[in-house]
Amino acid sequence: MPALNDQVQYVRGVGPGLAKMLAEKGILTAEDLLYHFPFRYEDRQHPVSLDELKPGELASVIAEVRNSSLVRTRRTPLFELTLGQGRHVLKCVWFNSPYLNGKFLAGQTVAVYGRVEPSRSTSNFKMIQPQFEILPDSTADAETQMLEVGRITPVYESLGGSRLASRWQRKVIFNLLESMRGAVPDCLPQSMLQRLDLPDRETALREVHFPPEGTPPAQLQSSSTPAHRRLIFEEFFFLELGLELKRRRMKERKGIAFAANDKVREAIREVLPFHPTAAQKRALGEIVADMRAPSPMRRLLQGDVGSGKTIVAFQAMLVAMENGYQAALMAPTEILATQHFLAARKLLERSSRKPRIVLLTGSLDEDRKRTNRGLINRGDANLIIGTHALIEEKVEFDRLGLVVVDEQHRFGVMQRFKLMKKPGPDGRSGPEPDVLVMTATPIPRTLALSLYGDLDLSTLDELPPGRVPIVTRRMPGERAEEVWDFVRKQVAKGRQAYIVYPVIEGSKDDQPELDFSHDEGQPDAAASSTNRHRTTPKVKTTELFPASAHEAAPSAKSGLKSAVEMHEKLRKGPLAGLRVGLLHGRLDADEKEVIMRRFQRGEIDVLVSTTVIEVGVDVANASVMVVEHAERFGLAQLHQLRGRVGRGAAKSYCILMTGERISDLGEERLNAMVSTQDGFVLAETDLRQRGPGEFFGTRQAGLPELRVADLLRDRQLLELAKHEAARFVEGPEPAVTEAERASVRTQLKQSWQRKYGLVEAG
Ligand code: ADP
Ligand code: MG
């Protein structure tokens, strides 16, 4: 009898050849195949009749082939298929698909699925490039008949061309489930399932693939049948269980118990430039409590742009330094690292201890790097600020007590853990340093907890006093002159401005804007996301749906204005006479530092830049943010960019200039920016637009790839799973047998090894 962890090639109907193709989709075992769910269902027992169709809706229709033909237009061959039901007809057309010629025979029954296109006559709707399936006729074998007609039929994304299409999956999965009848072991305890009113695993798997008659279509559509809920819960449960155990294990590890006495308090008081907000006080209190505890701190500090995370971090670092330890602050860009370095120097000028602050970034010259590494290694550097250069192998700390990671969403999880695990100079690992990670990505609390479930969470939910709302406006590119006029006027009032461009120079491979370049947040990634609402696109949707025209990917060289070019133009033309600076990722560290410092001191009026200033940059006197080609930027990016102004008491402006044709999603982003400044609201929109996978940058954020659950859609089940996982770890419930505990453990191990391997690195 087959078992769930059998290799997929031994599943009846598969074999070595197809197994190879399946492996490419990550399907290695029988279980993997069973957890590849249908992405929609067709009720072929109660099909819609053609006169019920409404233009604009997605519909699945069963009708009879009347005729078909290949029309050779001048540009592309067009294949037309006419389906009929009584006196109603439905025309389907496919472009560029001559292979369809001869496929359909008059009298055949066909199921099609697609968007109903409006037409003048209601009895003659159209579908463009619908999905289709020719249904078996009475000569087909009984099994095919039974699986394809007169029932709720599952439709799968192809696992590789037409060979592994829906029809194949139905058969193989059906037979697999039949052969395992009564023998699929459950991985969740009986008593838990009963309490939560969820079906057992075998029933759930059967019904997710072959829903019983009468299952409400809306439930199927929203993946909320009891079968779906059970399997989604299961996935979340093992994720949360693993995270919970990790958290508990962390509490047993040996960390540093810092003292937070009057001496430490005095060291902070002496440098603190302003009264902290209530939120900052609360967060610092939580952080210090962790630092005093003997286990290592693992805490996430979350707060919208401008909420004042930096000063909280500096205070925590002072605690570490006062205790005789080194503190390290890691930032995702050199510019931000440099700014933190300058800010730390300024802040600690007032300190009577005169701690030594060292900057370590990738583009420092080798000599300085070597010198700085020496200072760090000998313990002569107390506060170390840098980029990922900090986690390069060659850096060895003397007594690392606290690591702060700023803008954590820009780093990969691996990097986070690597720094934490660095051994001491003697090669032995002593007590582990505390770790505080900070992010401005406002993540709804439940999601934050599940994403960073191994971390404790503090939130700054309050902005420092005296902030004035930022005025946000859209401007078509043609009205640039007015924008430049406005910039001049603001400069005349003593203010400063940023002007941001999507690229450095006009060249094609011109995107190295973050020191950790990855797709997330790059303008192109935002504009080309077609996989909305799907956590992990395991199969390209384009295999099923032709690319939609409304969100075409921009061409690589599309005449975008660039920072370098516009810096020249503006300086000589519309902004002549002003002090216009240029900042981008390709400058070397010294140049960046000089420019940043001059802008900070007010020696530069207008800073022409790229998204390199997106995160963290803090110049309170800057009151204007102009973004050109704003339609190209992602929502999180725009929000971050806008967050560079409105940091002081002056009235600030964000001007979103648009260049070209704007996609629907682009429109939605711009409108959202104009209508709200609330990071949480924007994050929800962003999350909805891009889907959790891209929003969090799955791999980079350490977000596990979920195979059936969807973080956005299934949030409630996530919360339930978290609760249940904590309860399960808490103590043995009498109703749970030892055998059941054992199978929970086995499943946990399996899913963490295979699916969440990355997270487990900690
Ligand atoms: P972010 O959370 O985006 O990193 P920052 O730490 O850069 O925000 O702080 C934004 C600005 O607010 C900085 O100029 C900082 O000096 C200022 N700030 C922070 N906390 C306070 C406070 N309690 N009172 C007044 N200004 C503050
Ligand atoms: Mg910051």
Side-chain angles (χ1 to χ4, degrees), residues 562-748:
S562 72
V564 170
E565 162 209 4
M566 287 305 290
H567 171 247
E568 274 310 297
K569 270 202 186 140
L570 290 170
R571 199 161 69 92
K572 294 191 179 136
L575 300 181
L578 306 190
R579 293 165 303 173
V580 184
L582 173 67
L583 185 66
H584 58 70
R586 278 202 208 137
L587 301 178
D588 68 36
D590 291 340
E591 290 173 296
K592 283 178 199 158
E593 192 178 322
V594 169
I595 304 273
M596 277 308 297
R597 207 196 300 256
R598 290 180 54 210
F599 191 61
Q600 225 139 28
R601 289 198 193 131
E603 295 164 13
I604 289 175
D605 302 311
V606 177
L607 190 60
V608 174
S609 176
T610 57
T611 53
V612 78
I613 55 143
E614 173 188 338
V615 287
V617 171
D618 180 47
V619 176
N621 188 51
S623 65
V624 185
M625 167 61 65
V626 179
V627 183
E628 286 225 60
H629 297 294
E631 74 280 358
R632 292 300 187 105
F633 292 84
L635 200 44
Q637 245 177 343
L638 290 173
H639 180 58
Q640 289 283 337
L641 286 171
R642 178 168 59 185
R644 297 310 119 220
V645 297
R647 303 190 141 235
K651 182 155 188 180
S652 293
Y653 304 85
C654 174
I655 301 167
L656 304 173
M657 290 172 72
T658 51
E660 49 200 291
R661 196 177 55 86
I662 306 171
S663 69
D664 292 349
L665 292 180
E667 279 291 335
E668 197 188 352
R669 290 194 289 270
L670 295 171
N671 291 339
M673 281 294 293
V674 171
S675 63
T676 183
Q677 208 177 312
D678 183 328
F680 275 88
V681 175
L682 291 172
E684 293 275 342
T685 307
D686 198 24
L687 193 53
R688 196 163 33 73
Q689 274 204 0
R690 294 197 285 158
E694 269 194 54
F695 178 84
F696 298 117
T698 304
R699 282 265 155 68
Q700 288 79 6
L703 176 67
E705 295 206 23
L706 298 164
R707 55 181 177 183
V708 298
D710 179 316
L711 277 176
L712 197 54
R713 181 192 66 199
D714 306 319
R715 260 192 236 182
Q716 277 175 334
L717 284 171
L718 176 64
E719 221 164 323
L720 181 65
K722 179 165 186 62
H723 177 79
E724 287 296 326
R727 182 168 170 163
F728 186 86
V729 176
E730 201 45 59
E733 278 185 86
V736 180
T737 67
E738 190 37 53
E740 283 178 327
R741 297 205 141 252
S743 58
V744 168
R745 277 195 297 271
T746 311
Q747 184 73 26
L748 178 72

Side-chain angles (χ1 to χ4, degrees), residues 25 131 157-161 538-547:
K25 303 282 181 185
Q131 297 172 43
E157 288 184 341
S158 169
L159 287 171
K538 282 153 207 132
V539 184
K540 278 216 191 83
T541 10
T542 44
E543 284 173 20
L544 295 151
F545 298 103

